[in-house]
Amino acid sequence: MNSNPAPWWRGAVFYQVYPRSFSDSNGDGEGDLVGIIKRLDYLVSLSVDAIWLSPFYKSPLADGGYDVSDPRSVDPRFGTLEDFRNLIQESHALGLRVVVDIVPNHFSSEHPWFQQALNSAVGSKERARFHFRDGSGADGATPPNNWLSVFGGRAWTQVQERDGSVGQWYLHVFDASQPDLNWDNPEVRADFEETLRFWLDLGVDGFRIDVAHGMYKDPTFADHPDPQGLAEAIRLDLVDDEESLDGNTKVLRELIQTAPYFDRDEVHGVYREWRKVLDSYSHDPVTVAEAWVYPPARAARYVREDELSQIFNFEFLVAPWKANAIKRAIQSTLNSMAEVGASATWVLSNHDSPRVVSRLGERRARAMALIAQALPGSLYVFQGEELGLPDAQIPDSARQDPVWFRTEGEQLGRDGCRVPLPWLEQGDSFGFASAESGFEGAQPQAPWLPQPSDWGRYSVATQVTHEDSFLWLYRRALGIRRQHPALGWRQGDFTFLESAPEGVVAFRRDPRFVCIANTNAQSSRVTLNGPVLLIASAGDVQIDGDLVTLPPDTTAWFEVGS
Ligand code: NOJ
């Protein structure tokens, strides 16, 4: 038997901080690292184990910082390296681990490498770090192939050559300001290993890997048979709420599997190399892959024993509020992860997807949260999810997401879930700026994305005074999750209660824990023995002997006999 204790991350709760929108210490309208430090106590009070920081590296922020121009630095808008050191130190002192993003598919076009490539000749070693190709047609004005950007428009942009000759084209699967790196180039591989070590040496506890299924391309660069359909399928995948794996979803996912720039086998070689780097550190850093790949067996390949630790579970994230779909997402996740000995992750929202409350409605979002928090594995909570924030309406003139610009307004993009958090009921920024919250700081400028005028009712200050608030549900449930011996990660202790009626998701975790979710529009009855602990997402749960009646759209947790 393996006597090693399970690594810390297998059952951990990760709280995703989107630094630009979390807490603004200097009043410039954008959040920053010092702002996060000031709010660490809040995260402790939520019983989370780790924070994952979306990028805070030097960047023109054309794609919210996922366009990195210096991966081993802090952008002055977010603070300094010294601030980051303090953040690590103070987090660790409070028992919070810190995970950071790494963005290997592309750099920002402002990265010195890309600037050098633009200034260098066709065929130079500077160009060989990216994917530069000649165009076709007499004047080279037709892109090298028909691939389209995931964000809309072409995946190629033509450059101007300094000597006046016909310009080459470079590949960008995302925005034109995000040129794709050439992972066949050893310089690229070496540079990312240096980045891993740089942050690990500063004490980070792991990495979230952006577009972890990207990096390698079909080396033939052949045309795709349906580039438009493919790009739309990839965009829609984020917002799909059809019954999973039925009809449209299945077609979309099959199309995604044909992407010539995603999920190529070569990428696994990189993760095996990275793993060696990570294993040379003794604090057991975690790696979590952002990889929208299908079918689940392909996803499991990223978390084989000698590769990454975890992969985000997007099937669960997009599952509609239907018992069968939820059960299917849970079962397929557990099966595919068990095949490679990995633990599952449960995610309800992130900075790329509609907020849960906007997707499901508030009552169901509460109920879904209690399901997610009771499942075996680790949990990712996106900032503001614990406040029940909906997506904000953004005036078109304020939008920032490249998806909005590149689809020419056809897709609104992701700004709605990225609006700065409300900490106070009142104030020009609802306490997002430190000065308003009673910390020191300059008189604030307006937040970088406008907060809706009713944002105060979702604020932390308002919710802490109401025990039936969203925030209290999260606090209580995460508190129980941390204490209860059945919750978090335990291998092989999960069973669906097959006796549950139609429309009810019920499962048992040992010892003595049962979670029941009623997705029906009417009350449902379930037989249980000996409820002690009871926490419900909404409504009145009635208990009559061993008969439990659950109102519609409600989840409840029970402690039962053995
Ligand atoms: C996934 C990130 O989460 C998203 O925000 C970003 O736009 C793309 N990758 C490109 O880096």
Side-chain angles (χ1 to χ4, degrees), residues 52-64:
W52 149 36
L53 301 170
S54 278
F56 49 85
Y57 316 120
K58 199 153 179 262
S59 164
L61 300 185
D63 183 25

Side-chain angles (χ1 to χ4, degrees), residues 16 18 52 54-55 63-67 101 103 105-106 150-151 174-175 178 208-211 290 292 350-352 401-403 414 418:
Q16 182 190 354
Y18 194 73
W52 149 36
S54 278
D63 183 25
Y66 284 95
D67 47 322
D101 238 286
V103 189
N105 183 70
H106 42 263
V150 168
F151 283 172
F174 295 91
D175 190 48
Q178 294 166 297
R208 176 265 191 191
I209 301 157
D210 187 66
V211 204
E290 188 232 10
W292 296 77
N350 61 32
H351 64 292
D352 291 328
D401 190 343
V403 171
R414 304 155 294 177
R418 299 175 175 180

Side-chain angles (χ1 to χ4, degrees), residues 35-91:
I36 300 170
I37 295 175
K38 289 184 192 298
R39 299 293 187 182
L40 289 176
D41 286 346
Y42 170 73
L43 299 178
V44 170
S45 76
L46 265 180
S47 302
V48 304
D49 302 298
I51 52 180
W52 149 36
L53 301 170
S54 278
F56 49 85
Y57 316 120
K58 199 153 179 262
S59 164
L61 300 185
D63 183 25
Y66 284 95
D67 47 322
V68 180
S69 56
D70 179 355
R72 300 185 282 276
S73 71
V74 173
D75 192 282
R77 292 201 242 190
F78 295 119
T80 62
L81 212 46
E82 199 45 38
D83 294 337
F84 184 75
R85 283 199 186 92
N86 291 337
L87 174 56
I88 290 270
Q89 199 179 16
E90 304 221 6
S91 303

Side-chain angles (χ1 to χ4, degrees), residues 341-557:
S343 55
T345 63
W346 308 100
V347 194
L348 290 176
S349 62
N350 61 32
H351 64 292
D352 291 328
S353 52
R355 283 196 173 273
V356 205
V357 164
S358 298
R359 199 160 50 84
L360 301 180
E362 179 173 334
R363 188 177 171 110
R364 292 175 175 182
R366 293 170 70 114
M368 198 63 157
L370 286 197
I371 298 179
Q373 295 181 23
L375 290 168
S378 56
L379 180 80
Y380 284 79
V381 176
F382 175 46
Q383 67 177 42
E385 183 186 310
E386 79 283 13
L387 301 176
L389 284 182
D391 278 343
Q393 302 293 328
I394 309 282
D396 288 351
S397 59
R399 290 192 186 281
Q400 310 254 348
D401 190 343
V403 171
W404 159 258
F405 295 108
R406 292 187 64 89
T407 63
E408 296 177 346
E410 200 180 293
Q411 308 245 323
L412 297 182
R414 304 155 294 177
D415 293 319
C417 68
R418 299 175 175 180
V419 171
L421 291 192
W423 294 91
L424 296 180
E425 191 152 4
Q426 309 211 313
D428 292 339
S429 70
F430 299 106
F432 169 60
S434 280
E436 276 182 15
S437 274
F439 304 123
E440 286 185 11
Q443 266 315 304
Q445 291 174 28
W448 70 281
L449 277 176
Q451 298 161 303
S453 56
D454 69 344
W455 223 222
R457 70 190 172 100
Y458 297 106
S459 71
V460 175
T462 310
Q463 296 203 33
V464 284
T465 60
H466 292 95
E467 292 225 354
D468 57 356
S469 66
F470 226 103
L471 179 57
W472 269 103
L473 178 72
Y474 266 66
R475 278 193 175 173
R476 259 192 235 115
L478 292 174
I480 293 172
R481 188 185 184 282
R482 177 173 276 179
Q483 298 295 332
H484 200 289
L487 296 182
W489 187 76
R490 305 281 180 283
Q491 204 163 26
D493 74 334
F494 176 93
T495 352
F496 280 119
L497 301 183
E498 298 303 342
S499 58
E502 188 68 26
V504 171
V505 181
F507 56 85
R508 183 184 170 109
R509 308 274 319 266
D510 283 313
R512 296 186 309 280
F513 179 92
V514 166
C515 173
I516 304 179
N518 179 19
T519 69
N520 292 318
Q522 64 286 333
S523 295
S524 297
R525 289 194 178 151
V526 183
T527 310
L528 270 189
N529 97 50
V532 178
L533 159 115
L534 170 66
I535 175 170
S537 62
D540 272 337
V541 176
Q542 287 168 21
I543 300 168
D544 184 5
D546 59 1
L547 198 63
V548 174
T549 308
L550 231 67
D553 296 338
T554 299
T555 301
W557 289 359

Side-chain angles (χ1 to χ4, degrees), residues 329-339 342 344 346 375-376 494 496:
I330 295 172
Q331 197 59 66
S332 82
T333 302
L334 294 177
N335 292 348
S336 55
M337 292 298 114
E339 262 167 39
W346 308 100
L375 290 168
F494 176 93
F496 280 119

